[in-house]
Amino acid sequence: MTIEELDKKIGMPDVDTEWAKFRKEVIVPSQKANHHFALWQGWRKVAAIFLAVMCLSGIAIASVIFVQKQIEEKEPVIDKSIDTKPLVEYRKVSKHRSGYIVHVCPGIYVQLADDKQYIEEEFQYYYFVDFGNLTMTVDGVPFDKESLPTLTNKDLLGIRRITHGDSITINLLTKDVTIPQGVIGNLPRTHTILLPGGGKALMLNRKGVAGDWVHGSIAPWEKDQFDYCMADELSKCKKVPNHKVYIYASTETEQSDIDRALSILADLGIKKYEVVKDLPIVHWTDAQFRQWAQEHKEKHPDYDYNYLFDELATTHNGDDLHEKWHIVKEVYGVKTKK
């Protein structure tokens, strides 16, 4: 809607028309009548016009704010095609652990913290451990394991977690839910396939650091014992707008591995990807690992696995690090579990 259309819709007066009217009724007659009286009458009319314009301007601004608010916030679009399940179940999952399982449909709004909010796209249930400091509510009304809500997953619009010190409240929302501007789904918008060589493949659900052959998760080419493979991870994101895959290949990666990854993308219809080849990968001897550990112990006396591991992760082969890490622990005097 243009500014002119919005002005017309809310009754905003045309400034040029009002000025012509003011000139005809006030300025011209004032040239023939008592100057002071005409000036006073003129200013009264100017004030009246100004007040009308300002009031209508306020309406216009309020209208624009309202329209903008509608753009910035939207209602959840819930996918209710999945099976109907109870909204909440209470289960004992181990000898010492019980909690609430909340079944959800894709599309609900989730706010776990001010800086962690998203539209649920991936999971169909949440588990909240009952450690005694947890309060469960539906639209602000508390319930417990003896009084579970008689609702289903298809009644849920959102989940909000509220934390006060050690106390946690989980509020399940079934009405009046809007999604703030900028909140997106929790499926990865980017994947990285790492091909360090030797037929191995790892994946990250983000854009990786070129040359980091350590921090990816194992991505089997074919279904493994858990009925999982690389294609399963990627297929979930086919509907994600502008989803992109990066393929990082080392100097030791065979072209056949790259072609195999590209074939999986083609089968899934993923056309947005980038291949980066010939990235360096480092292999050290035992002596090199020992020398590096001795030098780092002088700069970083306390043994910190994550810190030390990350120091080498951006260049070294991950298998080497796991195989030879006992050398670093020996230098630091840390016992190696047998």
Side-chain angles (χ1 to χ4, degrees), residues 48-181:
I49 293 171
F50 178 76
L51 181 60
V53 171
M54 288 303 295
C55 289
L56 289 171
S57 296
I59 296 174
I61 292 170
S63 299
V64 171
I65 291 174
F66 176 76
V67 171
Q68 182 66 23
K69 185 177 180 64
Q70 296 305 305
I71 294 173
E72 291 180 353
E73 296 183 346
K74 56 185 177 181
E75 295 183 358
V77 178
I78 311 298
D79 177 6
K80 298 184 179 181
S81 63
I82 64 175
D83 293 339
T84 301
K85 295 184 179 181
L87 176 59
V88 184
E89 294 182 86
Y90 189 83
R91 291 186 188 176
K92 188 169 186 178
V93 296
S94 67
K95 184 176 180 180
H96 302 290
R97 180 172 295 178
S98 299
Y100 297 89
I101 294 178
V102 177
H103 296 283
V104 309
C105 294
I108 68 165
Y109 169 59
V110 180
Q111 183 182 26
L112 301 180
D114 289 340
D115 59 347
K116 189 174 183 181
Q117 46 187 327
Y118 51 86
I119 300 169
E120 179 55 68
E121 295 177 324
E122 186 171 6
F123 304 109
Q124 294 188 11
Y125 74 89
Y126 282 72
Y127 178 70
F128 300 103
V129 182
D130 184 8
F131 279 148
N133 62 345
L134 175 69
T135 300
M136 300 292 295
T137 67
V138 173
D139 297 320
V141 179
F143 65 87
D144 58 26
K145 61 183 180 181
E146 306 298 333
S147 58
L148 299 178
T150 58
L151 300 170
T152 74
N153 53 337
K154 297 180 181 179
D155 295 309
L156 187 67
L157 299 179
I159 298 175
R160 180 172 288 122
R161 182 175 69 183
I162 305 168
T163 304
H164 298 289
D166 294 332
S167 298
I168 299 173
T169 297
I170 302 298
N171 193 16
L172 308 179
L173 308 169
T174 66
K175 54 188 178 183
D176 300 330
V177 174
T178 55
I179 301 173
Q181 182 187 31

